[in-house]
Each structure stands twice: as structure tokens, then as C-alpha cells.
Amino acid sequence: MLCSTSKRLDSGNNFKWATHSSSYTRTPPRPIRFPSFPSPQLTCQILSLIPRQPQTSMAASDADVETGGCNYAEIIVIRHGETEWNADGRIQGHLDVNLNEVGRQQADTVAARLSREPKISAVYSSDLSRAHETAEIIARNCGGLEVVKDRDLRERNLGALQGLVYHEIAKINPEAHKAFVSHSKDQEIPGGGESLNQLYRRATSCLQKIGEKHKGERVVVVTHGGFIRALHRRATTHHRVGKVLNTSVNVFHLSDGGKWSIKTWGDVSHLSETGFLKSGFGGDSNSG
């Protein structure tokens, strides 16, 4: 098995996790933190106080900040909370699987965190239940925003592998397994599955559209592990992604000219008292 089941034991206001293995921990991995930036709103306020010098011409790089605007959108990309299929090591892909109780607690915790941070202008979500329920919990805690569902925010379509337990796929469907572990980014998965490059084009195009619509704002996007890994590939040349944990916070800045950067990667500090699944399936190179 790739993970264990767990139960939350409550005692007053204190609680701990009881597990059949060491899958859960109260000490999250240290998040990768990139250089700190102020929020887009604060950046714009600061820049508006700086006198503009007369210019006879302006290069494109000097025109990044327009009067009353800002040259980037801050997009907080979050993986959905845990599902029973995550815990069982079962491939989800485009199949619709609900959050389990742990996943709902994770969503509550990340929502509480975001509610204490600068204003969120919009919440977007994959149309799959595990992401949409996570997004709804966040939206309720961040001013009662309406969640915008977008099918393009779905996980990678893994074709014939969907619904199978990961450690059994080589035996059950060797052809699909071979395609799944292929090093070719153009290799599609039998049964209508996507290649990594197809996922990359869908993911980056979708986030770019959101960024262009929300320049100067902070928005939340709730999606899936494989999708988030594709965004990382677009934003940096650093290819060691690591596992994208459930409800991890990953902050992207999308600037004019198609420039992407990462402000925060893999932050699960909000889960220090809620627990997170280290060994469950998904969020890594085999994401599904």
C-alpha cells in the first residue's frame, strides 16, 4: 500500500493524528520561498506616489506600470484537498472523486490562512468535485466570492489508467503503463489520455488568460497536481519540482509580455496541525 488510513482524535481543543503508519506528520516540509514581493495592490499604491519623469520615448520594458494599474497578476494556485483515492493510491485523472474528511479539514485550514492575507478578488476552480469543493470552502472564507468553474483547469486525462491502483497498472494494462512512464513529453496515454505537452499547453494557456483578466489583483485557482507541475515547467528552468501536496500553496506572478515567476512553492505550513498525506498517490511525476 502507498499510504495508510488515519483518524483524528479530539480532546478538547487539542488533537493529534492516529495512524497505522507514519504517513501523516505534524511537521510539514519546509516550503521553498522565493524573494518576497508586496501585494499587487500595495505595489501599485507605492508606485503611484513616485513622480513620473517626462519622456520623449518609452521602451516596452519602461511601460510595465500604467497609471492606476499594475504589471502583474498574483495567482495563488492550490491543489485540491485529499480524497479517498489519493489515500488508496488510485489514479483519478478526469474521474470525479469527492474530498474525504481529511481533505475537507485541509480545505478549511488553507481557507482560514487565505482569509488572513490580502484581499482575494476572484476564485477559480476545476469543474471536478474535489477541486470545486475545496474552492467553495475558500470562497466562503474570503468574502463569499462566487467560484468560477473552468473545465480547462482539470487534471491530466490519463485515459485507460483512470480508476486503477497505481502499483497494479503495469500488470493490468502494460501498454498504458509503458506510455505513462515514457520520457517522451508527446506520448499520449491509450484510451484518450493526454500527453505531457498537451497538458502543458492547456494549463499554461488557461492560467495566462486568468492572469490577463486580473492584472493588479490577487486571485485563487484550485486545480490538480499534474496541472500545477505543468505551470512550474512554464515559470522556471528549475526542473526539480518535488511532490505537490494536497492544499499546498503555490504563488505565481504573471507579468506583461508573458513573463512568469514563482513567489512561493509547495507551502503547506498551514497544515502543521491538520496533517497531510506524504505517501498518497498524486502530485508527483506520476500525478493523477
Side-chain angles (χ1 to χ4, degrees), residues 255-286:
S255 305
D256 289 343
K259 297 177 182 177
W260 290 32
S261 60
I262 298 175
K263 176 183 177 182
T264 304
W265 181 258
D267 187 350
V268 288
S269 56
H270 51 282
L271 297 183
S272 59
E273 292 187 353
T274 305
F276 60 91
L277 191 62
K278 292 168 60 177
S279 61
F281 180 77
D284 55 14
S285 60
N286 297 321

Side-chain angles (χ1 to χ4, degrees), residues 121-278:
S121 299
V123 178
Y124 288 80
S125 170
S126 157
D127 64 340
L128 296 174
S129 297
R130 57 192 184 273
H132 186 249
E133 185 178 356
T134 303
E136 287 282 4
I137 293 170
I138 292 170
R140 286 198 299 270
N141 283 268
C142 294
L145 297 168
E146 181 178 351
V147 176
V148 180
K149 291 198 289 187
D150 190 335
R151 182 183 174 88
D152 283 343
L153 289 169
R154 283 187 174 197
E155 179 60 283
R156 180 185 180 188
N157 187 330
L158 291 169
L161 297 178
Q162 296 176 160
L164 301 180
V165 175
Y166 175 69
H167 70 258
E168 297 175 351
I169 62 176
K171 180 179 180 180
I172 294 174
N173 194 328
E175 179 186 3
H177 175 261
K178 182 179 179 181
F180 190 40
V181 299
S182 170
H183 294 295
S184 171
K185 290 183 169 57
D186 290 316
Q187 176 64 60
E188 298 178 11
I189 307 297
E194 292 176 288
S195 70
L196 289 172
N197 278 340
Q198 287 171 333
L199 171 64
Y200 175 85
R201 289 190 290 270
R202 171 165 63 85
T204 56
S205 174
C206 184
L207 203 72
Q208 184 66 43
K209 290 176 184 177
I210 293 173
E212 290 171 357
K213 186 175 181 179
H214 293 282
K215 191 178 297 183
E217 298 176 340
R218 298 180 80 234
V219 300
V220 168
V221 170
V222 183
T223 181
H224 307 264
F227 188 102
I228 297 171
R229 290 173 64 85
L231 301 181
H232 184 280
R233 176 182 162 193
R234 169 66 174 81
T236 178
T237 57
H238 177 68
H239 297 299
R240 297 188 64 180
V241 181
K243 192 175 181 69
V244 181
L245 296 169
N246 294 111
T247 69
S248 60
V249 172
N250 309 278
V251 182
F252 293 79
H253 283 180
L254 273 61
S255 305
D256 289 343
K259 297 177 182 177
W260 290 32
S261 60
I262 298 175
K263 176 183 177 182
T264 304
W265 181 258
D267 187 350
V268 288
S269 56
H270 51 282
L271 297 183
S272 59
E273 292 187 353
T274 305
F276 60 91
L277 191 62
K278 292 168 60 177

